[in-house]
Amino acid sequence: MKDRTGFPEVVLKHLQDAGGDSALTVRGGVAMTSCTAGFSAKNGSAIGYFSAAHCGQTQNIYPNTAGTGVWETSTRQAQNYGANADIAFYSVAVGTGNSISNTFYGSSSSSPTIVGGPQDVPEGITACHRGKTTGWKCGTITSIAYKPTWSGACPGTTCNSVFVRVSADQAGGDSGGPWVNGSNAIGIHKGGGSGWSVYSKIYRIPSGTTLYY
């Protein structure tokens, strides 16, 4: 079977849950329309979260990992998408009661974990990620200088050898989800194949944005 890139899967829905009118607490690891939220973040006065830039301009974000309940529309406001990263900041409306939390869903899909500070990690350690498709998966970092080569990996250019490859399962829909070492933020899921994953390093977040932890 051909390797899967982790790009958003096609989503068919019959009826959406009502959304946009009720306050939502944004946190990492929750489901988006076709991707997974990474970590809560700020961009100046805007609040929201980091996910993969390739997830598109707008996404609904849900309060849980299952993609159910009251949702809010989020908009891609800033991005670092090219040869070195695939990370975007998605904002949610302010003044409606929406808020952000310094937590993410990690090994538990019901009890969130407090986000630790960002880390730049070496090869050989264990790293874990949460995706809305595969859930919680862990593996060993096999390269911190990986060059993605699948079609469209770095649109309009060739990827540089600056991404991280991990021996952990992933699938379409996991894109944008959080990568951690323990509870410390280390990356945003980009893609991969059967039995391996690739993420963008967390310190390559878009200029002017900040991780909320």
Side-chain angles (χ1 to χ4, degrees), residues 177-204:
W179 275 92
V180 294
N181 172 32
S183 63
N184 293 95
I186 60 175
I188 297 295
H189 188 75
K190 177 173 179 61
S194 177
W196 59 279
S197 296
V198 177
Y199 70 79
S200 303
K201 297 173 182 177
I202 194 66
Y203 68 81
R204 295 188 182 277

Side-chain angles (χ1 to χ4, degrees), residues 6-8 32 34-38 49-59 74-90 152-155 163 174-177 187-191 199-200 204-206:
F7 280 59
M32 298 158 62
S34 57
C35 289
T36 305
Y49 60 95
F50 293 125
S51 188
H54 74 250
C55 293
Q57 184 62 29
T58 60
Q59 288 274 318
S74 60
T75 304
R76 189 175 61 192
Q77 191 179 75
Q79 64 180 16
N80 182 5
Y81 191 19
N84 299 316
D86 181 359
I87 305 176
F89 170 80
Y90 288 82
C154 295
F163 294 86
D174 291 349
S175 293
I188 297 295
H189 188 75
K190 177 173 179 61
Y199 70 79
S200 303
R204 295 188 182 277
I205 58 177

Side-chain angles (χ1 to χ4, degrees), residues 113-204:
T113 300
I114 295 176
V115 179
Q119 284 187 343
D120 192 14
V121 295
E123 294 178 6
I125 70 166
T126 298
C128 301
H129 79 103
R130 173 162 288 277
K132 77 172 201 173
T133 303
T134 58
W136 180 246
K137 298 295 181 181
C138 300
T140 301
I141 293 179
T142 58
S143 175
I144 58 171
Y146 182 71
K147 181 178 182 177
T149 57
W150 62 76
S151 177
C154 295
T157 187
T158 300
C159 296
N160 289 327
S161 302
V162 295
F163 294 86
V164 180
R165 177 165 169 156
V166 189
S167 60
D169 286 334
Q170 65 89 57
D174 291 349
S175 293
W179 275 92
V180 294
N181 172 32
S183 63
N184 293 95
I186 60 175
I188 297 295
H189 188 75
K190 177 173 179 61
S194 177
W196 59 279
S197 296
V198 177
Y199 70 79
S200 303
K201 297 173 182 177
I202 194 66
Y203 68 81
R204 295 188 182 277

Side-chain angles (χ1 to χ4, degrees), residues 25-31 36-40 49-50 61 65 101-106 112-113 115 130 177-178:
T25 299
V26 174
R27 58 170 49 90
V30 300
T36 305
F39 301 101
S40 296
Y49 60 95
F50 293 125
I61 180 170
T65 61
S101 170
N102 65 338
T103 61
F104 70 102
Y105 287 113
T113 300
V115 179
R130 173 162 288 277

